[in-house]
Amino acid sequence: MTHHVYLFIKHRSTPSDGPELLGGKGANLAEMSRLGLPVPPGFTLSTEVCNHFLAHKGEYPKGLHADVEEALAAIGEVMGSHFGDPDDPLLVSVRSGARQSMPGMMETVLNVGLTPNTLPAMIEKTGNPRFVYDAYRRLITMYSDVVMEKGAGINPGEDAGIRVQLDAMLEEVKHEHGHTTDADLTADQLKVLCDRYRDRIQEVLGCPFPDDPLEQLWGAVSAVFTSWNGKRAKSYRRIEGIPDAWGTAVNVQAMVFGNMGPTSATGVAFTRNPATGSNVFYGEWLPNAQGEDVVAGTRTPYALNQESKTNTNTELPTLEDIQPEAYQQLVEIRTTLEQRYRDMQDIEFTVQEGRLWMLQTRTGKRNGAAALHIAVDMVEEGLIEHREAIQRVLPSQLDELLHPMIDPVAEGSCTPLARGLPAGPGGAGGKIVLTADRAEKLGKAGEQVVLVRAETSPEDVHGMHVAQAIVTAKGGMTSHAALVARGWGKTCVVGCGELDIQLAAGTVTVTGADGETVLREGDWLTVNGSTGAVYSEELALVDTDPEKNPILSTFLGWCDRVRRLNIRTNADSPDDAALARRFGARGIGLCRTEHMFFGEERILAMREMILADTPEEQEEAVAKLLPYQKQDFKGILRVMEGLPVTIRLLDPPLHEFMPQNPDQIREIAKSTGKDEAAVRLRIEQLHELNPMLGHRGCRLGITHPAITRMQARAILEAAAELTLEGVDARPEIMVPLVSHIKELEDQKSIIQSVAAEVMAEIGVEDLKYLVGTMIELPRAALLADEIATEADFFSFGTNDLTQMTCGFSRDDVVTFLPFYLERGIYQFDPFASLDRTGVGQLVAMATERGRSTRSDLKIGICGEHGGDPASIRFFHQVGLDYVSCSPFRVPIARLAAAQSALADEG
Amino acid sequence: MTHHVYLFIKHRSTPSDGPELLGGKGANLAEMSRLGLPVPPGFTLSTEVCNHFLAHKGEYPKGLHADVEEALAAIGEVMGSHFGDPDDPLLVSVRSGARQSMPGMMETVLNVGLTPNTLPAMIEKTGNPRFVYDAYRRLITMYSDVVMEKGAGINPGEDAGIRVQLDAMLEEVKHEHGHTTDADLTADQLKVLCDRYRDRIQEVLGCPFPDDPLEQLWGAVSAVFTSWNGKRAKSYRRIEGIPDAWGTAVNVQAMVFGNMGPTSATGVAFTRNPATGSNVFYGEWLPNAQGEDVVAGTRTPYALNQESKTNTNTELPTLEDIQPEAYQQLVEIRTTLEQRYRDMQDIEFTVQEGRLWMLQTRTGKRNGAAALHIAVDMVEEGLIEHREAIQRVLPSQLDELLHPMIDPVAEGSCTPLARGLPAGPGGAGGKIVLTADRAEKLGKAGEQVVLVRAETSPEDVHGMHVAQAIVTAKGGMTSHAALVARGWGKTCVVGCGELDIQLAAGTVTVTGADGETVLREGDWLTVNGSTGAVYSEELALVDTDPEKNPILSTFLGWCDRVRRLNIRTNADSPDDAALARRFGARGIGLCRTEHMFFGEERILAMREMILADTPEEQEEAVAKLLPYQKQDFKGILRVMEGLPVTIRLLDPPLHEFMPQNPDQIREIAKSTGKDEAAVRLRIEQLHELNPMLGHRGCRLGITHPAITRMQARAILEAAAELTLEGVDARPEIMVPLVSHIKELEDQKSIIQSVAAEVMAEIGVEDLKYLVGTMIELPRAALLADEIATEADFFSFGTNDLTQMTCGFSRDDVVTFLPFYLERGIYQFDPFASLDRTGVGQLVAMATERGRSTRSDLKIGICGEHGGDPASIRFFHQVGLDYVSCSPFRVPIARLAAAQSALADEG
C-alpha cells in the first residue's frame, strides 16, 4: 500500500502521522484507534491525494483505486460486513478533514453504499425498514446535492438547487399524509419518496442516481476534494490565513447509527465545562438520534450527567441514568484523552444498540474564563507546565474576562440592528442620548445611557465619561471615540455607517437590510463592543470582576516571571493610574496632558492663551493653568510612586481647544474681553487643511515656549514637592512630534532651565527626571542615531508613525480601508495591529540606530499597538524595553509579553 | 620675520599665500604686486593673528609689534616717506579682508598716521592745507567711531554715537559759514572743525584723540579684528554659512589720494560689462575724488571710456580722454588680470597726480546674462575649458534669463508694499482682480491682471492661467498656487500674510509698517516672484527671450554632453510639452491628469461620476470623460514623439471636484437630476479631516476601478491610434500613492486587461507601454524591493514624501516653518530643497532596494525638487536616471545635472 491511504483500525492504525497529511480529524481518529478506543474502522485519503486530484483535473494517483478497495476490505473484516455486499452490506461515511478545522466549509456524505441492491439486506439485518429507507432518503438528498450538483460544478442559483426541490417534495409527502414531523413518515411512504427523488434527479440533473456502491464512494470522495476549492472554503481560508496549498484529507469510515432504536443514542461532550472551565465531564445527548439532530437544535438535548444539567433539561434523563455502561466507558475515555492530549477535548460519540463508538475528538473551544481556569487547573493537576499554561490562553480570551459582556445566550437569539467596528470591548446598554450634555445630565441622575454621535471630539468627553457605551456613525478604530473608549475600557462601536442621526429631531434612523428603523432618544440600545454589533433590544449582561479573580492573579504572576518586556499604561488621571497599577502596570508610558485642559476654568485659560495679543498676555493666561496641571501631575506621580511616569507635553493643534458654534464664540469673546470678530478670525487662522501634519506637537512648544515652560514647571514642581514629602516621584518628560534633533534641543533646554529654577526655589538638590522624545515621524526614525544623543528615552508613537508611513489618516481611512481589508490588499488594519513589514522596519531601525549612539537608551511604545498581542510580539523581538497600553489591556499585555518570551525559546 | 606679517610690494611680495591666511583682498593685493602691477605697498596681518587676538583677549602674538614696524619701514623705503616721520610722513589705510567677501560688515580706517606732528609736513609736501585738514577730519571721524567707540565696546544706542555728533557739528559749521557742500569749507574752517572734534571726543568718550601714529595704527588694527565678532558680521556669517573660525586678515597699505587735485582721480571698473557680459572694458571714475565718493552716489560718475557711457554721463569726459596714459596702463592691467585670473575682474584704482595705483581686484559679480555670456566667450577665447564654463554659471543665474524681470533700477527706488514667499520667478504687473472669473474676463479682453486670492484651488485655474501674476495671502512654497505657477513659469508670490482680502467690497487691505493701505480691484500691482516683493507702483519690466538666445543653446549643449542625469518635464498639456521640449526636456516625467477634468463639460461628467448611485451610472459618467482624456493624451504623446511620457492616474481626493457654494450645488443637482440634499450629503461624506492622508491616489482607482479603466483606455487608445499613424508614442502609466504591492498589482491588472482589449480593437499588435509607480509614501520606500517586482519604473514624489516623512502639511507649514527657518531648526525649506539627511535616506534606500530586485528599473523624480539644483546634485549622487521639472526649469536642471557630473570628477 502506498502512503496515500491510511487505515485507522483499533490497535492497528498505521504509525501516527500528523494533521499535515491526515487532516485534524483523520489524525485524531488514527490516534484514538491506536489508543484502543472504540472508533468505527476506516481510512484516510491524505492531503497529498487532494493536491494531486486538484492539480491533475480530478485524476487520482495511480493505484489509489486498488488501495481503497483493499482498505474497504480491511474495514469489512473488522465490522464483519462488506462494502457492496448484497448479503451483508457495509455503509460508510465520507467526510472532509483539513489540517485546521474549517467548520461547515466542506462537504460530507453519509450512508454511502446503500443501493436498491443492498437495501434488502440492511432491512433484514436491522429489522427496521423505516430506518433503512430513511437512511436511503438522507443519502439521496446529500449525494444529489453535494456530488451530482455542486461536485459537478452546477450552480442553479440560490433556492433553485436540487436539495431545495427534494426538501419541498418531503414537505409535500408529509402534507399528503397529514404528518407534522419527518418521524411520522412510514417506511412505505419513505420508499415512495425515495423513488420520486430518483425520478426528479434524473429529470433535473440529467443523469440517474448511482446504484453502484463504488461509484457512490468515488463520487463522494471527489466531491469532498472539489469542495476544498469551493467559494465558501476559499473565502474562509483567506480570512483565517489558511494556505490554499494545504489541501484537505478525506475520511471514509464505517457508518454507525445512533438512530437504530431505543438503545441507540448520539451525543457530544467536553472533557471539562467549556463555559466555566471547571473540571467536570460536560455534554449533551439524544436517544435514538443521529449527530445532526443534536446540532440542529430541533430537539432539546438531554444532559450527559447531573453536572451537565441546565434549566431546559432538568427533568430529562441523563446518559448516566439510561446507559450507565456506555457512560462509564465514556468517563474512562475522557481520562484517557485528557492524559493523551493534555488539554480539554471536544468529543462526538454514538451508541449503536448499546455499543459505544467514538466518532471524533479534538481540542475543545472554550471562552476566556474557561481557558484560564483549565490552564491553571491543569498546572495544578500536573498535566502541563507553567509555560504551557501561559501559551494556552489567548490574549483575546483574557480580554473577555476584563469586561462585562452580553449574555451569549440572549445575544444568540437576536439580530443586530446595525454593525460597526469593535472599538471598545465588552457589552453595555442604556438609553440613547445624542449629546454629551444630555448624557452627563441623565448619567448624573443615575440613568444608564449610550451616547450616539456622528463622531466625537474632546468637547464630548464629559458625556462619554458617564455613558455606558459610545456609538459613532463615523470614524475608524483610532478615531477620537475609539481612543478614549479603549483608554477607559468602555464599550464602544465606531464607524457604524448605517446610523443617520437627526440631532434636532432627537432621532436615529437605521437603514438595514429590513428597511428603515427610527429610534428616539430614550430608546434602549445594547452594544457589543467586542464584535461591533448594536441591538435595539435590552439584553442581559454577564458581569466579570477581574480584581476578585485569584486564578487570574496566579496566572498573570506566572506571566510576569517569564516576560522580558516591561508593561506600562497610558493614563491621564490618578484614578486611571491607580486602576492600571492594580492591573499590574509598572509605570506610565503615556500621560497625555491635553485632556487636562478641558475642565471649565482650564479651557478658558487655554483659550485666553490662544487669543493673547502679546507675549505677556500669553504668559499670564498660561500661568493660570499651572496650579491645575501641577495638581494633576502630583496626583499621578503619587499613585505611581517608585515607578516611572512619562508625561507628554501638549500635542494637539490649538484649534481643538476652540469652539466652533457662534454662541460659544460670543461667550469667549466676552470672557476674554476680545472682539468677537477677532476671536472668529483667530479660529479661522487656526484652521488647517491637514491638522495631522500641521502646527502641533513640539511645534507648539517651540512657537509658544510659554506652554512648555508652564508644563515643565508643573511637572517638576509636583515632583520636587513630592520628593520633600518623601514620595519617590519619577517623571519622564516626553517631547512629541520631533522630526529634527534641534527641536528636541530647543525643548530640552527650556525644561532644563526650568528644572534648575525649580530645584533652587523648592530646595531639592538633585531632582531626578528624564527628557525623551516620541518617535512618531518617519524622519525621527531615520535620524534616531542623531536624536538619541539628546534623548534619555524614545517612545514610539505608532499611531502617528503608521499614519505617516502608510499615508493613512486614521480619521479618514473608513472610506477605503474596509474595502482594502475585504479585498486582502492589507491583511489587517494597521492601526489595530502594527504593520510589521512597513512601519515595523522604522521601529526596528530607530531602535538599532538609537542604541548605536546611546547604549542605555530606554525604548518603549505608547501607541494603541501597545495593547495588541501580535504587535507586542514584534516589540519583544525588536528588543524594546516596555510597551504601554490602556489600563484594561495591561493584563493582556502581560500575557502577550510572556508568550513572546516563550516563543523565543522555541 | 614670522609668518604673521605678509608684505606686498611690487615684484617683492612674499610667496603667494591663499586667502585662507591673507583674506581675499590681501591675497589679491599680494598677487597683483607679484605681477608687478602698481599697488601701493603694504602688508597683511594674517587671519592667524586675528584668531590669536580674539582667543587671547586682545593680545597679539609675541614679536608682532617689531614685525609690523619692520614692515612699515619697508613700505617707507618704497614710498620714500616714513610712517610717523614729522618731515615726510607716510599715511596708511587699515582695512579688513576676510577669506570670503563680507561687504560692509567690518571696519576700515583711512589716513592713519596724521597727527598734529605730521600735519605740517603733509601740508608742505602737498602744498594743499585744505586737502590735509580734510584728510585729518576724515581720520578723526572714522577713528573715533570705529576705534574709540565701537572698538571699545561702547554702545550709545542708535543715533547717539560719536559719528552722528561729529556729522552734526560739520553741518553746523557749514551752516555758520553759509556753505552748502563739504567742498566749500576752507582749510581754516576745517582746522577749527578738527579742533572742535577733538574736544568733543575728549568730552564724550573721556579720552583724548591719539596723537601717536603707532597708537593710531594699533588702535585701528585692533578695531578691525574686533569687528569680526561684531553683531552685524556674526549674523551675516550665520546667513552665509561662513565659519566663525575663519577670522579676518587686516591690510595696512600706503595711502594714495585721488583727491589731490585735477590730475588725481579714482574709479572702479569691470574687465567686462557685468550687465551684459560683453567683452568691453567697463567702468566709472571721478576726478579729484576718493573711492567713497564714487560709491556714495552724491556725484554723477563719469564713464571710463566710450563703451561705458550711459544716458546720465554722455556729456562728461572719459578717463580715456582726460588721462590717456593712466587709461592705457589700466587697459593693459585689465588684460594681465584676466589672463591671470581667467575670469572677469572687478577692480578699484586711484590716480594720484597722474600716477595710477591699483587698490583692489576681485572676481566681479555679474547677472545671469553676463555670467553666461562671459563663460561662453572665455571658452571661445581659449581662456577656460568647457567644464570650467559650466561651473561658472549659477543655476539661479540661468533662472534670471528665463523670465521677464522688474527693471532693477526702477525697483531699487521703491519700497515693497508687502512681502511673501517667492513662489514663481520673474517680474510681472497688472490690475488687481480678486476672482478667477473676473481675471479670465479681463484677461480675455486683453487686460493685464494680477490675481489676488487668500489661496487658490483647482477651480481658480482658468483665472490663474490668464493672470500675469498670482498673489496669495496664505499657503507655502508648495501650495496649489505655487505649484501651478511654477509649472507655468508664472510669477507668483504666496503666503503674503499682510494682505487681507475683502471679496465683497472688492478691496485688499495691507497692514504694513506704515499702517494700512487699501487697494481696490483695478489698482495696479507689480510682483517680483523671485524675491517675494509686491509693489503698488507700476514698475517697468525687462524682457528676456531664452529661445532667441544662441549663447544659451551653445552653453546648454555643453551641459548636455557632460551630464549623466536625464531631464524630463512636468507638463499637462501639449503646449507645455512643446515648450519644455524646446527648452531641452527629453520626455515627460509627470503628466497630471486631474487638471484635465476642470473643463466645463468634463467637470460635469466627473461630478456625475461622484454622485452616481449605481456602478452602471458611474461607468456611464466616466465614459463621457474618455474622449476628452484621449484627445489630451494624443496631443501630448504626439508632441513628445520618440520620448517617454509618464502619465499619472487620477490623484486628488474627489472632494476637489465638487463645489462648495449653494448655487453651484443647486445647479449640479439640477444637471445630474439628483436631489439637492443628496448632493450636499455626498459632498459632506467626501469631507476629510486630513485629505492629504485620505481617499486619494490609487485608493481612488481601487475603490473606483471605472476611473482607472477609463484613463488606461484613453492613454492606450491614444497611443495605439498614433502608432497606426506612424507616430512613436511611448506612454508610461504611473500609479500614484502606492503603499503596498497589492495596490500596484490591482491597478496594473486593470491596465493590462484594458491594453489587451485596445490592442485587439485597434489592431496594434505590440503596443509598447510601461506601468510603474510613484514612490511618495515612506512605506513604499521601505518596501521598494517588493514593489519593484511589479513596477517598470519608480518616480519619487518628493513633495508628498517630504510631507509624510517630516509630518509637514505643505499647505499648513506657513504657521511654523518660517519660525523654524529663522531659528535655524531647519536650515532650509524642505519643500524647496530636498531634506537630504531625512527624506534623502528614503530616496537612496528605495533606489537601492528597487534595483536589488529589478536591475533595469528606471528611476526618476517628479516632485518640485526636480528643478532645485542642490536636490538635483543629490539625485545625481544617488544614481537616479532622470529628474523631471517644470518647463521653465528644464535649462536649470540641465546645468545643475552637468555641474553634478563635473563635481564627481572632483
Side-chain angles (χ1 to χ4, degrees), chain B residues 174-192:
Chain B
K174 275 155 68 181
H175 187 73
E176 268 171 35
H177 299 283
H179 297 324
T180 50
T181 72
D182 298 2
D184 300 333
L185 288 164
T186 64
D188 284 344
Q189 288 163 350
L190 283 166
K191 186 168 184 298
V192 172

Side-chain angles (χ1 to χ4, degrees), chain B residues 782-798:
Chain B
L782 291 163
L783 291 160
D785 42 358
E786 190 179 73
I787 292 170
T789 61
E790 285 290 334
D792 296 323
F793 62 88
F794 279 176
S795 180
F796 286 102
T798 50

Side-chain angles (χ1 to χ4, degrees), chain A residues 739 743 779 820 826 835 849, chain B residues 739 743 779 820 826 835:
Chain A
S739 70
E743 295 175 309
R779 194 181 195 280
Y820 269 37
Y826 273 73
D835 162 37
R849 292 186 181 181
Chain B
S739 70
E743 295 175 309
R779 194 180 196 280
Y820 269 36
Y826 273 72
D835 162 37

